[in-house]
Amino acid sequence: MSLVPTGTLVAGAAAGGGAIAAFNIITLEHAEAVIAGAESVGSPVVLQISENAVKYRQGRLLPLAAAAAAAAAEAAVPVGLHLDHVKSPALLRQAAAAGFGSVMIDASHLPYAENLAATRDAAEWAHAHGLWIEAELGEVGGKGGAAPLDAHAPGARTDPEEARAFTAASGVDALAVAIGSVHAMTTRTGAVDHALLARLSAAVDVPLVLHGSSGLPDAELAAAVAGGIAKVNIGTALNVAMTDAIRAHLDAHPGAVDSRTYLSAGRAAMVRAAADLITALGAGRPAVAPAAV
Ligand code: G3H
Ligand code: ZN
């Protein structure tokens, strides 16, 4: 199996009317857990490292990227490696040498023309280096602890006609859309604007990406995939699972000092969370292994 290009996984999922799950990783335990969860349900998966995770790792991309690529190489399912929510051009340009198959340029906080200019520039660079690239139009709120945007605020939802023009003019391979989900929710009480998703799906030729998926219940995830989402980004749900398990372990074992004991509990909880979320994407989720590279 091993490390495969993200674009291959997204295209394979979309061709089958399904979606690939893409999980944000922060530690090696996250990467190990996501791969084990995907293996347990026989599904390809994407590991993604965000610019915020790189900041947490003291600004260094390579150590976690190399660990994730090594874990992917030994996986029993195809695994993609994606650099997520990148605002820094300098970080974006590290992706090719660091083993990533794809990147996301996130200029969605900028006015349309500036978002388009930054995205077009990033797409030219990415394609020149053999990378698949995702961009965002309309702003999925809640990034980096920011308060969620009002769902009716300008820019809080993606406009279908703008999305059509943006993808054509920028040359991106996939588009993250703002359709009601919000980043960093710790309860699964969110909802997707399915009517808007249907209009976007009809208007845009490239695969659509759902962000802030941790806050959506299983039925909303499956409906979003059925409605045209081809990549589902999930981060917070892993951290909720990990932290709850570690807290419970330490409450039950107040004398514990060996970090392997509580990290094992945290990792095991993330394995279950990843497997459950992949399963929640529905019957269309990819199970056939694409060719390894
Ligand atoms: O790009 C990453 C995702 O949008 C993760 O969002 O942490 O709310 O699941 P989440
Ligand atoms: Zn996101």
Side-chain angles (χ1 to χ4, degrees), residues 24 48 84-85 182-185 211-215 233-237:
N24 287 79
Q48 47 190 25
D84 193 35
H85 279 297
V182 176
H183 284 103
M185 284 181 67
H211 281 243
S213 309
S214 294
N233 284 17
I234 304 163
T236 303

Side-chain angles (χ1 to χ4, degrees), residues 1-4 25 27-28 30-33 35-36 39 47 49 61-82 97-100:
M1 299 297 172
S2 80
L3 190 59
V4 302
I25 63 167
T27 68
L28 178 55
H30 285 74
E32 292 167 336
I35 290 172
E39 288 174 339
L47 301 177
I49 299 174
L61 175 62
L62 274 179
L64 185 59
E74 296 188 353
V77 293
V79 179
L81 189 57
H82 176 76
F100 289 84

Side-chain angles (χ1 to χ4, degrees), residues 175-204:
L175 187 68
V177 287
I179 53 174
S181 58
V182 176
H183 284 103
M185 284 181 67
T186 54
T187 58
R188 300 184 70 190
T189 52
V192 163
D193 182 339
H194 296 286
L196 176 58
L197 175 57
R199 290 172 60 215
L200 286 161
S201 197
V204 175

